[in-house]
Every structure is written in structure tokens, then in C-alpha cells.
Amino acid sequence: MRFFVLYVLIPFVMLFPSVMHGQVKTLNIVYTGGVNGKLEPCGCSPKTDFGGVARRAGYLTEHRKTLSPYILVDAGNFLDKDTPQERLKAEAMLKAFSIMKYDAAAFLKMEKEFPYSFFSGLLKKYKIPVISDMPRYRQSISTKRDAFDVNVSVNPMNYQKGRLNVLLTDQPIPEIKHLKGWDVIILSSGEILEEPLKANGTIIVSGYPKGERLGILTLQIDSSGEVLEFKHRWQALGKDVKEDVNVRKALKEYGAGVAGLLKGAGKPLAEISYLGVSKCGECHQPFVESWKKTRHAGAFSSLERAGKSGDPECIKCHTVGFGEKGGFYSAKTTPMLTNVQCEACHGYGREHLLDFSKPVQPVAEYVCLKCHIKSTSPDFNYPVYLEKIKHK
Ligand code: HEC
Ligand code: HEC
Ligand code: HEC
Ligand code: HEC
């Protein structure tokens, strides 16, 4: 009988050291970091169709109960460079944060590129608990969840005894590895950590680039506040995740704002250098016919279906010459330059018209790689793709 007790009890205690410490509770830390302005995936390829704030929020709404108690944090660098479009994105992003009820969001390198005056109204409007080491911001926030008293900070010196300490930072791993006092460090430096690192008693995780996945770190914490065990998993945010309707609404408003950017920017450039397919067709009709059978000829309607035909971030690859002198400007002002037309591959045709003997730009792989990049066309393979678009 004595042996029986030993055999049964000892392995049990070894497996669950927690039982030795009295009451053990579970807390989830749900995190993002290094999203870099990716409000949602472009949808160019099913293989890269992951992430986006609408799915992130949808997942949280649906699993709120099973995740609870949890805290939700963004470790910073959720924006990209300061441009008019990026400002609209920043507002949409913050609105999404407020709908998801983030407990803390760090303003780090990318957010620091925007002036304080830009954020101040938005932060009040959306009540975002921001921490940053910039002047006029708090560096730390206390958050209570059930029995847990959590200190979330961007300052590596600001850990507090007796609380669960979470540091949000974009410092590289070698610089934070030696830090002491932190239970959890969440990075937004863009480093991919498939699994958490453990250093000096600290659990180090990193936000998944572009927010394609949501990080979920589960801590087992005893009554003295010590982290006994942890588990980590990635929640993929694929097409199967139901979107949150309120965040989708915010994205629609963002889309309308973006379309307004082009309208507000005045007239297209007066001199149109690109001729458009109907001009080429005057002498090369058979080539137009074969082109029409390729997906390039429907590239703009793909944007229309996605409700993105006014978004410069999409237009640049789904039209001819956007952003160049005399290229596509908007569907209204330059309707003859929608879609990936002849001149997207052959270069623009004015000189050719003046003198047919002048060779047009030779078509080689580099031409395709302007648009067929890893995130939009992960299966791109030049000979295979070339075969599909050859004039026949
Ligand atoms: C007015 C008639 C005309 C129009 C319009 C025209 N082309 Fe041509 N194109 C020609 C002729 C003629 C040749 C043959 C020249 C030769 O073989 O020397 C040619 C040759 C070409 C070639 C093959 C020659 C080479 O350099 O490799 C390409 C590609 C081409 N055109 C593309 C275009 C595109 C794109 C447009 C529209 C922007 C266009 N062309 C508009 C008459 C035209
Ligand atoms: C200006 C941007 C641009 C350039 C340059 C470009 N493409 Fe594309 N390509 C696209 C877009 C956008 C689509 C998707 C159109 C759609 O369905 O909406 C596409 C689709 C395709 C497809 C269809 C994919 C499939 O699986 O059916 C092939 C094949 C292709 N491109 C080959 C090429 C090749 C080869 C080149 C270079 C010679 C090239 N493309 C140059 C933008 C471009
Ligand atoms: C860097 C160039 C580039 C940008 C930017 C881009 N696309 Fe694409 N898109 C492509 C290419 C290339 C394809 C074809 C991919 C393939 O099949 O290999 C494509 C395909 C698509 C398709 C067709 C998918 C299908 O299978 O039918 C949609 C829809 C689409 N893009 C929407 C968008 C939207 C919306 C945006 C902006 C948020 C965007 N794209 C931005 C290059 C781009
Ligand atoms: C996605 C890139 C792409 C687009 C878009 C495209 N072409 Fe081409 N084109 C090529 C490639 C690659 C070749 C050479 C291989 C071939 O003949 O198919 C070529 C060849 C040609 C040639 C020369 C054939 C020869 O005899 O040398 C003409 C003319 C031409 N294209 C006209 C057009 C016209 C007109 C359009 C628009 C309706 C167009 N192309 C759209 C890629 C493209």
C-alpha cells in the first residue's frame, strides 16, 4: 500500500508541481506586435490570406468565454510610415483596438513617426490605453483581471514586485535577454519566434509579422504570483474565422476615406504617357484577343468585387502605371488604364507609335516581379506563369 501511494503520488506531483502551492490559476495573455500597418490581407492568394483586424476581433468575440480571464495587448509597431493613407489606417486600427478592448497598446518605433497632435484626439475618442516612452505618455499601465494584478510597461526598469510583469518592446533579443524581473516580454521587432524563449526566468514571445496569427500565452500562476508553467499557441486567422461586424464597419469607413484621398488630390497628370489597350488594338488586335483570355484583363474587376478599386495600395498592381507620370489615376478619370494591360509588360507605347521600328521594352522576369511578389503571388514561377499568359 505504501508503495502504491508513492508510485501514484510522486509522478503526479512531478507532473503538476502546482498542486504543492495551493491555489493555482490560469491567465491568458493574448497578443499582437509588429503588425506594420496590415489592416487586412489583400486576398491576392489563398496562401497568404491570413490575419486582419476583422478576423482578429471576430475570433475574440467568439472565444471570449474560453479565453477568460485574459489580457489583450499590442506590443507596438502596428503602424507603417506616416503618410495620408497610413493616418487613415491608424484611425481604423485604433478603432479596432477599442472594439476589441485592448488592455494596452505600445507606441514604439513606427508610432513615434507620427506627431503627438495626430494621436491626441484619437486616443481620447477611442479610449486606447497607450504606453510609450515618448513625453506626455504613460510608460506603464496596471490592469486587474480576476485575482491577477498585471503591470504592463514599455520601460525595462519599471517592473514591480508582487505583480505580474509584462514588458512590451521592439528591442532585439540579445538586448533584452539579460533583463530581470519580467515574467513575460512581448516583442514587436518583427523577429519570428515560433516557440517562446526562456531566459532568466522570463518568457519571451514575439508578435507574428503582419498580424497573420494571434499569439496566446497561457500562464499557470500560484497564489504568490509565481508563474509555474506556461503553454503557447498560435491562432491562425484564415478565411474560416468569422469577422466581427463592427470592425468590418470600421474598415468600410476606412475604405471610403482612402477613396477620398484620390478625389481630394486634384486632377490626374495632364499628360497621359500610356495609351491603353484600345490604341494597341488598332494594329495588334489578335494580341488583344489573347490578352483578354488572361486574368490580367480582369484585374480591376477583382478590386471592384473586393470594394478596393479606390485603394492606392491595391491599384498599383491591378492597373497600368499608377503613380507614374501619365499612368492610371482613378477609374473615373483614366478608365482606359484599368487592368494589367499591354503596357504593364511592354512599357508605354508613345515612342513606339512615333516609330514602330523602335523596340519596345523586352519582357523578362523582372517585369513580372514588380507585381508578382511573395505576399501577392507565392506560387509565382516564371516559366510556368509565362506559359499561361503567352499570346497564342
Ligand atoms: C499604328 C499601329 C500600331 C499601334 C497603335 C501599336 N503598334 Fe506595336 N507594332 C506596330 C508595328 C507595325 C510593329 C512591327 C514593327 C516591326 O516589326 O518592326 C509593331 C511591333 C510591336 C511589338 C513587337 C516588336 C518588338 O519591339 O518586340 C510589340 C511588343 C508591340 N508592337 C506592342 C505594342 C503596344 C503595347 C502597343 C500599344 C501601346 C502598340 N504596339 C501599338 C504597330 C503598332
Ligand atoms: C502590373 C502588375 C503585374 C505585372 C507587371 C504582371 N502581372 Fe501577372 N498578375 C497581376 C495581377 C493583379 C493578377 C491577378 C489578376 C486577377 O485575377 O485579379 C495577375 C495574374 C497573373 C496570372 C494568373 C495566375 C493564375 O494562377 O492563373 C499569371 C499566369 C500571370 N499574372 C503571369 C504574369 C507574368 C508571366 C508576368 C510577366 C511577364 C506578369 N504576370 C506581370 C499583376 C501583374
Ligand atoms: C504587389 C502587387 C499587388 C498588390 C499591391 C495587390 N495585388 Fe492583388 N494580386 C496581385 C497578383 C500578382 C495577383 C495574382 C496572384 C497569383 O495568382 O499568383 C493578385 C490577385 C488578386 C486577386 C485575385 C484573387 C483570386 O484568386 O481571384 C484579388 C481579389 C486581389 N489581388 C485583390 C487585391 C487587393 C484588394 C489589394 C489591395 C489591398 C491588392 N490585390 C493588392 C498583385 C498585387
Ligand atoms: C503579362 C505581360 C504581357 C502583357 C500584359 C501583354 N504582353 Fe505582349 N508579350 C508578352 C511576352 C512575354 C511576349 C513574348 C512572348 C510571346 O510572344 O507571347 C509578348 C509579345 C508581344 C508581341 C510581339 C510578338 C512578336 O512577334 O514578337 C506583341 C505585338 C505584343 N506582345 C502585344 C501585346 C498587346 C497588344 C498587349 C495588350 C493587349 C500585350 N502584348 C499584353 C507579355 C505581355
Side-chain angles (χ1 to χ4, degrees):
M1 184 62 194
R2 195 177 286 160
F3 283 118
F4 173 76
V5 169
L6 269 181
Y7 276 125
V8 171
L9 206 60
I10 289 176
F12 184 67
V13 168
M14 276 165 35
L15 271 176
F16 298 100
S18 40
V19 296
M20 309 278 289
H21 294 255
Q23 221 188 7
V24 175
K25 290 194 163 175
T26 302
L27 176 71
N28 285 311
I29 300 182
V30 182
Y31 65 92
T32 47
V35 171
N36 281 107
K38 264 286 178 221
L39 263 184
E40 55 180 334
C42 69
C44 296
S45 162
K47 286 200 181 158
T48 54
D49 193 3
F50 292 99
V53 287
R55 291 175 189 164
R56 196 194 303 167
Y59 178 81
L60 289 171
T61 310
E62 201 168 328
H63 297 87
R64 189 144 272 149
K65 274 209 184 111
T66 44
L67 287 173
S68 289
Y70 73 90
I71 63 164
L72 176 62
V73 296
D74 184 279
N77 293 313
F78 56 91
L79 298 180
D80 208 341
K81 289 183 211 79
D82 182 8
T83 64
Q85 180 157 2
E86 222 46 55
R87 288 190 173 206
L88 295 174
K89 216 182 258 176
E91 169 150 21
M93 202 72 96
L94 291 173
K95 192 164 184 187
F97 280 8
S98 108
I99 293 169
M100 288 184 258
K101 300 197 174 62
Y102 267 74
D103 293 291
F107 276 16
L108 299 178
K109 185 163 168 267
M110 295 318 289
E111 291 73 33
K112 286 180 189 178
E113 300 212 345
F114 295 74
Y116 179 79
S117 56
F118 167 69
F119 283 125
S120 54
L122 290 178
L123 297 184
K124 247 185 235 137
K125 186 170 170 192
Y126 297 118
K127 301 193 177 60
I128 308 292
V130 167
I131 49 178
S132 179
D133 61 5
M134 286 188 285
R136 291 189 277 198
Y137 286 92
R138 295 177 280 183
Q139 295 192 348
S140 306
I141 274 181
S142 306
T143 267
K144 282 227 158 75
R145 201 56 33 94
D146 278 17
F148 302 107
D149 186 0
V150 190
N151 166 45
V152 189
S153 184
V154 292
N155 182 342
M157 299 302 150
N158 269 4
Y159 64 88
Q160 292 171 10
K161 280 227 162 75
R163 298 174 126 174
L164 186 79
N165 288 290
V166 179
L167 178 68
L168 309 181
T169 180
D170 55 6
Q171 298 296 308
I173 291 173
E175 304 218 347
I176 49 130
K177 252 187 161 161
H178 65 275
L179 292 176
K180 292 202 172 77
W182 297 96
D183 297 293
V184 177
I185 298 180
I186 307 177
L187 305 176
S188 61
S189 50
E191 269 169 288
I192 299 184
L193 286 180
E194 285 290 347
E195 294 289 331
L197 291 178
K198 193 108 203 259
N200 279 331
T202 304
I203 305 160
I204 304 173
V205 294
S206 182
Y208 206 86
K210 298 182 191 159
E212 286 181 0
R213 303 174 183 181
L214 188 59
I216 302 177
L217 180 65
T218 304
L219 305 177
Q220 303 278 341
I221 301 170
D222 71 8
S223 50
S224 72
E226 195 189 335
V227 176
L228 301 173
E229 289 170 55
F230 68 91
K231 269 192 314 213
H232 177 266
R233 72 178 182 91
W234 291 113
Q235 175 59 46
L237 297 173
K239 234 182 159 149
D240 54 315
V241 175
K242 214 168 109 200
E243 293 190 340
D244 180 279
V245 286
N246 291 320
V247 172
R248 175 47 63 195
K249 231 169 87 190
L251 291 178
K252 282 224 174 91
E253 287 162 20
Y254 161 77
V258 168
L261 284 178
L262 282 182
K263 275 190 208 118
K267 290 200 187 89
L269 290 157
E271 187 193 326
I272 305 278
S273 315
Y274 287 90
L275 299 171
V277 54
S278 59
K279 190 73 195 171
C280 314
E282 286 174 14
C283 308
H284 299 294
Q285 192 53 34
F287 291 86
V288 175
E289 294 309 319
S290 64
W291 169 77
K292 275 187 181 158
K293 293 190 199 116
T294 70
R295 278 179 45 193
H296 288 141
F300 199 72
S301 51
S302 289
L303 292 189
E304 286 172 331
R305 276 196 303 275
K308 294 281 186 182
S309 58
D311 188 337
E313 286 182 0
C314 310
I315 287 170
K316 67 176 184 193
C317 297
H318 285 252
T319 62
V320 197
F322 178 68
E324 286 170 49
K325 206 171 156 207
F328 177 87
Y329 183 77
S330 74
K332 215 167 173 185
T333 53
T334 51
M336 62 294 195
L337 297 179
T338 53
N339 298 317
V340 179
Q341 298 186 9
C342 326
E343 291 161 291
C345 288
H346 292 292
Y348 52 68
R350 267 194 196 279
E351 295 198 346
H352 172 63
L353 270 198
L354 297 173
D355 180 357
F356 301 140
S357 66
K358 276 209 172 141
V360 294
Q361 158 183 297
V363 185
E365 185 171 4
Y366 80 94
V367 172
C368 325
L369 294 180
K370 260 196 324 203
C371 306
H372 288 267
I373 59 178
K374 219 169 158 199
S375 59
T376 60
S377 190
D379 290 328
F380 184 76
N381 172 310
Y382 186 56
V384 174
Y385 270 55
L386 185 62
E387 203 46 51
K388 289 197 203 174
I389 57 97
K390 266 200 170 156
H391 304 286
K392 286 174 188 131

